[in-house]
Amino acid sequence: MSIDAAARYAESHEYAKLEGSLVLVGISDHAQEELGDIVFVELPKAGKLLAKGQVFGTVESVKAASDLYMPVSGEVSEVNPALQADAGLVNREPYRKGWMIKVKPSNICDLDALLSAEAYGKSIGEA
Amino acid sequence: MPFIPNADSDRLEMLASIGVSKVEELFSDIPSAKRFPPLDLPKGISEFEMLSEIEALAAKNLGAKGKAWFMGAGAYNHFIPSIVPALASRGEFLTAYTPYQPEVSQGTLQAIFEYQSMAAALLGVDVVNASHYDVATALAEAILMAWKQNEDRPAVYFPSDLHPEYRGVVETYVSSFPIELRFYEGDPAALAIDERVACVVAGYPSFSGEVYSLGTCAEKTHAAGALLIVQADPHVCALLESPGAQGADIVVAEGQSLGNPMNFGGPYLGMMGASEKLMRKLPGRIVGEAKDREGRKGYVLTLTAREQHIRREKAVSNICSNQGLSRLCYDKAHFAAERIAQIPGYKIETRRFFKEFLVSTPIAAEAIFDRLLKKDIVPGFPLSRYDASKDNKLLCCVTELNSKEEIDALVKALAEVTP
Amino acid sequence: MNLLPEPLIFNVSSPGAQGCSLPESDVPPSPLPQDLTRKHLGLPEVDELTVVRHFTRLSQKNFSIDTNFYPLGSCTMKYNPKANEVAASHSGWKSLHPLIGDRYSQGALELVFRLQESLAEIGGFSAVSLQPAAGAHGELAGVLIIRDYLESIGQGQRKTMLIPDSAHGTNPASCTMAGFATRTVPSGNDGNIDIKALEAMLNDEVAGIMVTNPNTLGLFERNIAKIAKMIHDAGGLVYGDGANMNALTGVFKPGKSGIDVMHFNLHKTFSTPHGGGGPGSGMVAVVSKLADFLPGPVAVKQGKKFALAMPPASIGRMKAFYGNFGVLVRAYAYIRMLGRDGLRRVAENSVLNANYLRAKLERHYPLKYKKACMHEFVAMGNIAPGIRTLDIAKRLIDYGFHPPTIYFPLIVPEALMIEPTETESKAVLDAFVEAMLSIAQEAKTKPELLNAAPTTTPVGRLDEVAAARCPVLCYRP
């Protein structure tokens, strides 16, 4: 299991990674493993304003459908177009090609409130 | 002991294997004061005695058999071809569980896939689930599904002229959510739809039988960013343009008339279908194609992650090879309506209908019902049973089972009723 | 089992073929509305014999109670007397219109009334509604009753429902539908509700608790009276999930032990064939203070006559008309044939059969809770390296047995939930034990047999992930 050291994490397993002025959002490797084979990801339209903690989409595996929560507040500036055709990218490369949305954060300090990679690792029982 | 195969000697052996001497010991977790309470019920009776009792109870009802039957209002008296019960009662279908183990459930799964395909063609939608308890619960779930697409929109346009019992079920289902039903009269095409509206519900036909074109309403609904839900009669869809083809986003229908008996109201079949963009929002079970490791095609329950409730499905539908049945109902209903319209004091209130129409009567419809019943004619459903203010309204339904002779007898008997 | 591929009904369609005969029209044709006339229908055209063969062959691709032992935990897949079918398909019921009126449906209403009375007596409740159409539907009715009752006594702020971690998945779903938030109550080491944890969760926002008894581990909730008292003292109500009533008929009356509202799965305990997923019936029963809130209409007796009536503070209708009447007739017929003694025998023998299987299997398939069970028990299938419960389940198919319920309840890893029911003989149970022991042996010596199973079915394990990623849900010409 991998934890991207450059990202920060929500307790609900979304990660948020600063890329220039935007925040890249997806779910952690641990989350995709728990969910199992992901068959569908539903994401918002670009331009939507969402507050931290609000549902921005759902991820659906054979086992379960789970809501996705915003790790930071802001405007959705881009949605990963590749997931529509291949939701399995979230399983294979959660931190790279399996990203979900890019957010223009309304308050960059939201990131500080998230767990560090180390703290997240501890919270899921990784040494 | 009926239905319990083990003999006492088997039971003793089994108790010995378990390591107890009496079966009562297996219930020791239950507080002794509450264990084995007396049951104030009669002793068991034999199969023969039970069937005689059923026979006696069944005789104390007035069934459609042997009557000139013109009552519909949500439960329809159609002929059921003999192969329907013959196939539907096969033990391999009837006594199987929900197909969670696909390798040993291909029969049920393929039959459901075929049902989905035929129902989708009939209703004019891309995808159909399997299925709901009845059309009333299907409609309630369709409204919740549409509302969840955009929870900022609390309003649902709901026709006043929709089956009162379906409306009752919808009211129960939405009671926990901030949803407001806005009732409207007449043609849904005339509605002004604002941005507070989540969806528009329309009947096809309405409870009183009125068939409105849906195209204009669909356009206006979509322009306002809302969804159109249509509650349809599946037989109408065989003869007239389907709701899906006219732009409905979700279509629900009562499948009772597709080969299921009236059965005092249940079990029936709630059909629900939707356009492709709502595919992953559809509640209930859905069967899809799949392949095994050797590349053989099979069927599985799919999109199951969102299944919340266990729902019912009926795998067998009445396969009618053409539109003949619907056409027959249509012609007979129009023939009957024209004749009734000529009787002084009677008026047909429904302008465009399929097999059911509303008649205004010279005296209370309930009185007509009582008088005609003496002649073995059930002339329709008196609306006063739902709404006391609608005294002189009779909802008449004509199906392929009504011969011209029966229609003649109805017309004659109605004409003899004088204020 | 029929292993040959069966084409879709669309693929055997032959234009012009007729599946049923219609009477000739004896009235003149009426013009159709031009703007709305449908031009193309797209349904298969098939002759009657082709239809019969098609569906008969399909039926032969199923396991069913009529052909196989079906020990599906929590599903009560018992044999349902064929006499029930005869009783339910009487022409007097089939041609009975739901709106014909009380005067003309006295026989049906009398049956419904008698069934209501019998079920109330069996459960120890004071009133019953037969409106709900399935277990989950009855559950929804039950929590709506709790909601409306609490509002009626000025306790509408109670919006939290407590649900044990061993509960059926439908419990939280029903709560959401009724506007309740849910909180999970953990199980203790004995598989029963953790009383201390429960105590800490009680406050004036708690609407009640939903208890399945026996629970999904097949264990009787020994502290049920104490739990009920704690909840009642805290101002809440106790909901009983009656899915497992098969262990309790004539043995225990939930309504006399602190349960306020409960649904029964009539189609399970009271014997309607499962029909590949329905129809069912999920009646809801309540103690007297909740009777006015029942969904309606219900059957009432007025002098010598029977009538339908809406309870005064009813939560409303759950479906059109009066419940799944066909299922009600079967339940009535079943209760009449068994009577008071037969119903107790049902529970006794279902518990005896389950414990017999438990005793025979526990050395090979470990139990998480090693004690006598009620009508079902939960074992674990990870009995050898590289072997999972799924493999055991699929291998059982090759031995001609339907697999038990797997991976449920969630609190037992690699769960195998086994419910034999009372209608199976010792000989069948012994054959099942033999197959399970043989599979346990194979798991150690020939694991590849398990991983490849099943091989005796029309298709092998299907790729459910691919099916869900790119769904094909309809025939496309």
Side-chain angles (χ1 to χ4, degrees), chain C residues 29-278:
Chain C
S30 203
L32 293 170
Q34 283 304 313
D35 56 321
L36 265 188
T37 305
R38 185 164 183 164
K39 280 144 205 101
H40 177 71
L41 192 50
L43 292 181
E45 298 179 51
V46 195
D47 67 273
E48 181 166 329
L49 177 56
T50 303
V51 175
V52 168
R53 286 202 178 129
H54 175 72
F55 285 108
T56 303
R57 286 175 185 155
L58 282 184
S59 76
Q60 292 165 342
K61 292 170 181 287
N62 274 359
F63 272 15
S64 64
I65 289 293
D66 281 4
T67 53
N68 305 79
F69 179 44
Y70 225 102
L72 261 184
S74 235
C75 299
T76 314
M77 289 296 281
K78 58 165 120 178
Y79 169 73
N80 304 121
K82 299 295 175 191
N84 288 358
E85 298 306 301
V86 176
S89 59
H90 193 287
S91 64
W93 307 132
K94 287 204 289 194
S95 71
L96 185 57
H97 194 287
L99 299 176
I100 187 65
D102 294 351
R103 257 166 83 193
Y104 304 109
S105 51
Q106 284 294 303
L109 296 182
E110 185 172 348
L111 182 145
V112 171
F113 182 80
R114 286 192 199 168
L115 181 60
Q116 286 173 185
E117 300 276 288
S118 302
L119 291 167
E121 170 62 19
I122 292 166
F125 290 97
S126 65
V128 156
S129 169
L130 302 174
Q131 259 256 320
H137 208 213
E139 223 177 273
L140 174 59
V143 286
L144 289 172
I145 289 170
I146 293 178
R147 180 197 67 185
D148 284 7
Y149 170 76
L150 289 173
E151 271 168 24
S152 79
I153 58 165
Q155 291 289 303
Q157 86 286 357
R158 293 181 176 270
K159 285 292 176 200
T160 304
M161 193 67 82
L162 306 178
I163 299 181
D165 55 8
S166 59
H168 291 109
T170 51
N171 288 177
S174 297
C175 286
T176 308
M177 290 277 287
F180 288 112
T182 59
R183 285 183 72 193
T184 304
V185 188
S187 301
N189 290 332
D190 57 355
N192 279 181
I193 287 172
D194 182 336
I195 298 280
K196 278 223 171 83
L198 175 64
E199 191 146 33
M201 297 171 94
L202 297 177
N203 57 40
D204 67 357
E205 283 173 12
V206 169
I209 189 168
M210 295 182 83
V211 186
T212 305
N213 195 11
N215 66 19
T216 58
L217 298 162
L219 303 176
F220 188 84
E221 198 64 65
R222 273 173 305 164
N223 296 318
I224 185 66
K226 188 171 177 192
I227 292 168
K229 183 163 188 312
M230 285 166 68
I231 296 285
H232 289 154
D233 288 349
L237 295 175
V238 182
Y239 184 94
D241 180 326
N244 296 338
M245 196 62 202
N246 217 49
L248 297 184
T249 53
V251 168
F252 178 74
K253 290 182 173 177
K256 299 281 184 220
S257 300
I259 307 286
D260 300 300
V261 49
M262 182 158 172
H263 82 265
F264 293 8
N265 298 58
L266 275 191
H267 53 285
K268 284 162 66 175
T269 312
F270 301 99
S271 216
T272 283
H274 202 82

Side-chain angles (χ1 to χ4, degrees), chain B residues 378-390:
Chain B
V378 173
F381 177 74
L383 281 199
S384 55
R385 291 187 186 179
Y386 283 133
D387 182 349
S389 71
K390 292 180 177 162

Side-chain angles (χ1 to χ4, degrees), chain B residues 1 3 5-6 11 13-14 24 29 34 36-38 40-45 53 55 57 60-64 69 71-72 75 83 90-98 101 103-108 110 113-114 116-117 121-122 127 133-134 137 165 169 172-173 175-176 237 239-242 262-267 280 288-289 291-293 296 299-300 302 309 311-313 321-322 324-325 327 330-332 334-335 352 373 385-386 404, chain C residues 6-10 17-18 22 26-27 30-33 35-36 38 43 45 48 54-56 58-59 61-66 70 72 75 77 81 90 93-97 99-100 104-108 110 114 121 136-137 147 177-178 222 251 253 256-257 273-277 279 317-321 324-326 332 336-337 339-340 342 344-345 349 352-353 371 394 397 423 425-426 451 460-463 467-469 472-475:
Chain B
M1 189 73 217
F3 324 125
N6 284 328
R11 264 193 288 274
E13 264 185 67
M14 292 164 75
E24 283 79 1
D29 274 351
K34 302 282 185 184
F36 304 119
D40 184 16
L41 289 179
K43 280 208 314 214
I45 56 176
E53 200 174 296
E55 191 75 47
L57 286 168
K60 289 197 241 172
N61 305 296
L62 182 119
W69 193 269
M71 187 192 269
I83 67 165
R90 280 194 69 88
E92 300 94 325
F93 283 134
L94 192 64
T95 71
Y97 195 69
T98 310
Q101 295 289 340
E103 300 90 342
V104 290
S105 313
Q106 284 300 302
T108 299
Q110 184 172 334
F113 183 83
E114 293 177 353
Q116 289 173 188
S117 303
L122 186 61
V127 47
Y133 307 132
D134 64 2
T137 51
E165 301 210 5
V169 174
T172 306
Y173 269 65
S175 63
S176 304
C237 301
L239 200 60
L240 304 181
E241 204 46 89
S242 72
M262 296 192 288
N263 223 15
F264 201 50
R280 290 181 187 269
E289 251 179 46
K291 292 226 162 72
D292 72 4
R293 288 177 228 180
R296 288 177 295 191
Y299 300 90
V300 291
T302 190
H309 288 271
R311 293 194 176 81
R312 67 185 289 259
E313 60 235 24
S321 60
N322 52 38
L325 174 60
R327 184 67 206 240
Y330 181 89
D331 286 345
K332 283 176 184 269
H334 283 74
F335 175 76
R352 184 159 73 172
L373 192 56
R385 291 187 186 179
Y386 283 133
K404 179 170 175 294
Chain C
E6 179 65 21
L8 286 173
I9 190 97
F10 292 86
Q18 289 218 352
L22 290 172
D26 50 6
V27 300
S30 203
L32 293 170
D35 56 321
L36 265 188
R38 185 164 183 164
L43 292 181
E45 298 179 51
E48 181 166 329
H54 175 72
F55 285 108
T56 303
L58 282 184
S59 76
K61 292 170 181 287
N62 274 359
F63 272 15
S64 64
I65 289 293
D66 281 4
Y70 225 102
L72 261 184
C75 299
M77 289 296 281
H90 193 287
W93 307 132
K94 287 204 289 194
S95 71
L96 185 57
H97 194 287
L99 299 176
I100 187 65
Y104 304 109
S105 51
Q106 284 294 303
E110 185 172 348
R114 286 192 199 168
E121 170 62 19
H137 208 213
R147 180 197 67 185
M177 290 277 287
R222 273 173 305 164
V251 168
K253 290 182 173 177
K256 299 281 184 220
S257 300
H274 202 82
R317 286 187 166 278
M318 294 300 294
K319 70 181 286 298
F321 313 124
N324 277 343
F325 183 73
Y332 177 82
R336 286 297 281 135
M337 285 193 289
R340 57 182 180 238
R344 177 169 159 180
R345 299 264 153 68
N349 283 276
L352 175 64
N353 279 2
K371 56 177 292 197
K394 297 300 186 192
I397 291 172
T423 61
S425 67
K426 178 171 176 293
N451 297 140
R461 294 190 204 180
L462 293 159
D463 185 349
R469 279 186 180 154
V472 178
L473 309 176
C474 273
Y475 164 78

Side-chain angles (χ1 to χ4, degrees), chain B residues 179-196:
Chain B
I179 294 176
E180 129 209 1
L181 299 182
R182 283 190 198 166
F183 294 99
Y184 71 89
E185 309 279 341
D187 192 341
L191 287 173
I193 301 158
D194 56 77
E195 74 289 347
R196 284 174 56 78

Side-chain angles (χ1 to χ4, degrees), chain B residues 203-246:
Chain B
Y204 190 66
S206 72
F207 183 51
S208 59
E210 197 71 46
V211 176
Y212 295 109
S213 305
L214 300 165
T216 309
C217 173
E219 273 169 39
K220 287 171 75 174
T221 304
H222 294 155
L227 296 173
L228 175 60
I229 301 173
V230 173
Q231 178 248 310
D233 174 343
H235 288 277
V236 173
C237 301
L239 200 60
L240 304 181
E241 204 46 89
S242 72
Q246 295 182 68

